[in-house]
Amino acid sequence: MTTQDAGPVRVAVVGAGEWGKNHVRTFSQLRGAHLVSVCDLAEARLANVRAQYPGVGTTTRYDEVVQDGSVEAVVIASFASQHFTQARQALHAKKHVLVEKPMTLDATEAEELVHLAASVGRCLMVGHLLLYHPAVVKMRQLVETEEIGELFYLYSQRLNLGQVRKDENALWSFGPHDVAVALHLFGSEPLVVTAKGEAFLQKGIVDVVFVTLHFARRKMAHIHLSWLDPHKIRRTTLVGSRKMVVFDDMEPTDKIRIYDKGVDIRRHTMSYEDYLHVRFGDILIPHIGSEEPLRLECQHFLDCVRPGATPRSDGVHGLQVIRVLAAAQKSLQLDGVPVSVKG
Ligand SMILES: NC(=O)c1ccc[n+]([C@@H]2O[C@H](COP(=O)([O-])OP(=O)(O)OC[C@H]3O[C@@H](n4cnc5c(N)ncnc54)[C@H](O)[C@@H]3O)[C@@H](O)[C@H]2O)c1
C-alpha cells in the first residue's frame, strides 16, 4: 500500500464555473479528500479560487493536471463539449474520474469511456446529482419495496426562466437529471423514445422539449424541460398501483408527499360501479434527510475510489442516459417520430 492509498483521495477539479465552484467547495471540505488543484481557462475564476482556498494549486493547463502524478482523481465540470476528451485523457493517465452531466454528447464516446475505465481499473462516475438526493433515494425505496405497488408511470417537469445555454439545448442541459431518475426508478432502459420541442430564442437550440420514454410492459415516463417558462418547477410525480408520490424540490422542507390514493380493481363484484373503486386515503410526508445532495454525491465518489466499488451513477448508467438523450435528439429532429434506444 502506498502513502496515497492510505490518506485522503487527492483530487483536482477542472472547471470552476457556476457549478464547478460547488465541487471545489465540497472537495475542499470533505475529510476523505485533499483538494490538490483547480484548473480553469479563465484566470479570473482561478484568482477567486486562490483567494478562497490558499494552498490549492491553480492552472489554466489541463495537461498539467493529467501529468501530475500526485493527483488520483479528476472532477470534470467544464463545458459539456469537453467532457469526453478530458475524461479520456484522465483515464489514460490512470486517474479516477467524476464527470459532470452530460457525460458525453454522443453514445459511442460514452461507450469508449466505459471500456477505458474498465481496462485501466479506475472508477468512472457521472454527476447525476438527483440519484444522491434523499428524496430520490426515498422514492427508489418506495418502488423497490413495492410500497406504492407497481410503478405504472411517472412524469417530471424541470422548468425555469434562464439559464439559456448556447452550447447545448434544453434537452441536453436539463434532461440528464430526469432521464437518470426515470432509469433509476424503473430499473431498466426504455425501448423507444419520442420527443417534440421548439427553438424560439436561438436558431437550432430547442428551448422547450417534451420527451416520452416507453419502457417494457407499457410503463412510461414523460419529461417536460424548458428554460423559457414563467414558473420555476422541479417536480416528479410517480403513479403506482397502490399509492402515488410527488417529489417537489422547490419545497423547502416537505419535499415528498405519499398519497394513499388509487383505483382498486375489484374483480369479484356484480356491479359495474364497484368494479373500479376510487380510493382517497391519507397523505404522508416522510422525514428525509436534509443533507446537501452534492455533498452526498462527492462522498459517494470518494467511498467508491479506494475499494474500487461501483458508483450508483457509474459509467454504464451514464451511457444508458446518453443513449436515451441521443434517441430523444433524433426524435426531435424527426418531429416526434418514435426512435429505438438501442439504435
Ligand atoms: N449536476 C448538476 O446539478 C449540474 C448543475 C449545473 C451544471 N452542471 C454541469 O456542470 C458543467 C459546468 O456547468 P457550469 O454551469 O459551471 O458552466 P460554466 O460555463 O459556468 O463553467 C464552466 C467552466 O469550465 C471552464 N472550462 C471550459 N473548458 C475548459 C478547459 N478545456 N479547461 C479548463 N477549464 C475549462 C470554463 O472556463 C468555465 O469557467 C456542465 O457540464 C453542466 O451541465 C451540472
Side-chain angles (χ1 to χ4, degrees), residues 14-21 23 39-42 45 60 62 76-80 82-83 86 100-102 127-129 163 165 168 172-173 177 297:
V14 185
E18 287 309 312
W19 185 245
K21 67 185 179 193
H23 279 291
C39 170
D40 200 294
L41 296 175
R45 288 196 151 149
T60 54
Y62 183 58
I76 300 169
S78 57
F79 302 143
Q82 306 281 308
H83 291 180
Q86 290 184 334
E100 259 310 331
K101 59 84 199 162
H128 290 148
L129 182 72
Q163 173 189 8
R165 293 198 181 254
E168 54 187 356
W172 288 83
S173 183
H177 290 301
E297 175 192 301

Side-chain angles (χ1 to χ4, degrees), residues 237-257:
T237 302
L238 311 186
V239 174
S241 57
R242 276 214 302 274
K243 293 183 184 174
M244 302 176 185
V245 182
V246 177
F247 161 35
D248 187 345
D249 210 5
M250 297 312 295
E251 283 285 338
T253 51
D254 301 341
K255 289 185 183 282
I256 279 219
R257 282 164 200 264

